[in-house]
Amino acid sequence: MTQSVAVSGEPTVELTLALRVSTDSEHAAAIAARLLESFEDTVGVTLTARTFQAGEANSGQVVELAGRRRRLGESAPPLRIEPDSRRVLLRGEVLEFTRLEFDLLLFLSRNPDRVFDRVTLMAQVWGLSGGNGRTVDVHIRKIRGKLEPALTPITTVRGVGYRFDGTAEVFIAD
């Protein structure tokens, strides 16, 4: 491990890890990216990786995780939504969500700063073209009960519907 000072005056740390995984070349980059993504989300650093085929020393495919850079010392957003595994983590702790609670939270978080009325949410999340809009209210209340007081990302817009305002507080691991 080497430590140096970046041009901006902030200290940087360079750490080299070697990990050997045997797989076909088609999946190597995806596996490396997934491992780095997991590590990056946990530690909060910028990472790059090279994948090599056996016997190749200098010609690797570089995998960079773009758009999710944090400086050393910055913390990860407190809420993490993992659509593939259908998990929600609040500060690293797994929260239990029903299927519809998860789908509603994911839909709102993927469409931040937009107000959705109950009818639209019923159509988008439940797949229904009608129904009792109070069902949405109950699910929003249950979601809030699981996230509050730590987070309050869903805002009620009186007479209209709901808006997701917590974009800085959530990370969606797509």
Side-chain angles (χ1 to χ4, degrees), residues 49-173:
R50 280 190 163 46
T51 58
F52 301 101
Q53 289 187 0
E56 295 181 13
N58 294 323
S59 60
Q61 180 180 2
V62 176
V63 177
E64 290 213 30
L65 304 175
R68 303 217 338 266
R69 303 292 186 233
R70 293 190 302 269
R71 295 175 190 260
L72 191 61
E74 282 185 25
S75 62
L79 184 65
R80 178 181 171 92
I81 303 173
E82 298 177 347
D84 291 340
S85 63
R86 298 190 61 83
R87 291 191 324 168
V88 176
L89 292 92
L90 180 60
R91 294 192 172 100
E93 297 292 323
V94 176
L95 301 177
E96 294 297 322
F97 277 77
T98 66
R99 181 182 65 85
L100 289 172
E101 289 167 356
F102 180 88
D103 292 344
L104 181 57
L105 177 62
L106 183 61
F107 177 79
L108 289 170
S109 64
R110 283 187 168 159
N111 296 283
D113 302 320
R114 290 184 53 200
V115 179
F116 292 96
D117 61 27
R118 291 174 183 90
V119 174
T120 302
L121 290 171
M122 291 289 289
Q124 293 293 318
V125 177
W126 277 261
L128 301 174
S129 59
N132 184 353
R134 297 297 171 206
T135 301
V136 175
D137 297 345
V138 170
H139 283 79
I140 292 289
R141 187 174 66 241
K142 288 182 178 182
I143 292 169
R144 286 176 170 160
K146 293 174 184 184
L147 299 178
E148 293 176 355
L151 294 177
T152 55
I154 300 172
T155 302
T156 301
V157 180
R158 279 183 76 90
V160 182
Y162 297 99
R163 178 182 62 229
F164 190 86
D165 289 330
T167 55
E169 301 173 327
V170 68
F171 172 75
I172 303 171

